[in-house]
């Protein structure tokens, strides 16, 4: 009987030891998983920042080109208006005077 109790005590101690080892392994795996998760997150964020920087540069370049195009169109329209004014100002003044007095 005492031999059986000793075996049960030994089995219980082995089970406790196995349980502690299993718990330590679980904690180690949790730390590894957390470290790997952080590494993947950091890698993803770095890649996203690179892409965002690249896209930002492209958008600035496109905006600068669009602004330059609009600026050229505005300058052309202003030149055309100045030409029309120079060519027709006296005729327009005469017409305004004629309509006002006439």
């Amino acid at each position: 009987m005492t031999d059986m109790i000793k075996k049960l005590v030994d089995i219980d101690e082995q089970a406790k030891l196995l349980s502690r080892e299993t718990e330590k392994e679980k904690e180690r795996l949790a730390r590894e998983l957390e470290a790997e998760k952080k590494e993947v997150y950091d890698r993803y964020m770095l890649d996203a920042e690179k892409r965002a920087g690249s896209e930002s540069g492209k958008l600035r370049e496109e905006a600068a080109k669009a602004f330059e195009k609009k600026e050229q169109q505005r300058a052309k329209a202003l030149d055309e208006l100045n030409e029309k004014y120079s060519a027709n100002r006296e005729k327009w003044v005469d017409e305004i005077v004629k309509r006002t007095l006439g």
Side-chain angles (χ1 to χ4, degrees):
M1 180 83 162
T2 58
D3 199 33
M4 175 110 43
I5 293 174
K6 183 167 173 29
K7 285 183 181 181
L8 288 174
V9 169
D10 287 344
I11 290 172
D12 185 54
E13 286 177 11
Q14 287 176 354
K16 287 178 182 177
L17 179 63
L18 185 59
S19 177
R20 283 191 299 265
E21 288 175 358
T22 303
E23 188 63 31
K24 286 179 184 177
E25 182 67 13
K26 178 182 169 187
E27 289 172 3
R28 184 187 67 78
L29 289 173
R31 285 191 305 271
E32 281 182 18
L33 182 62
E34 192 62 34
E36 191 172 326
K37 178 180 163 185
K38 183 180 179 337
E39 182 182 328
V40 168
Y41 175 81
D42 290 346
R43 204 172 344 138
Y44 175 79
M45 290 306 292
L46 183 62
D47 185 48
E49 287 173 2
K50 285 179 184 177
R51 280 187 277 139
S54 174
E55 291 298 317
S56 176
K58 288 177 186 177
L59 288 174
R60 274 193 218 110
E61 187 177 316
E62 289 174 6
K65 285 179 183 178
F67 176 79
E68 183 62 31
K69 184 177 179 181
K70 291 291 183 182
E71 186 65 20
Q72 289 173 354
Q73 291 173 343
R74 186 199 60 78
K76 182 179 176 184
L78 182 61
D79 288 343
E80 289 173 0
L81 285 173
N82 282 330
E83 285 177 20
K84 284 182 182 180
Y85 173 75
S86 295
N88 297 310
R89 71 176 162 217
E90 290 192 26
K91 183 170 80 172
W92 291 342
V93 169
D94 290 342
E95 185 67 26
I96 291 171
V97 169
K98 178 180 164 186
R99 287 185 183 193
T100 303
L101 298 177

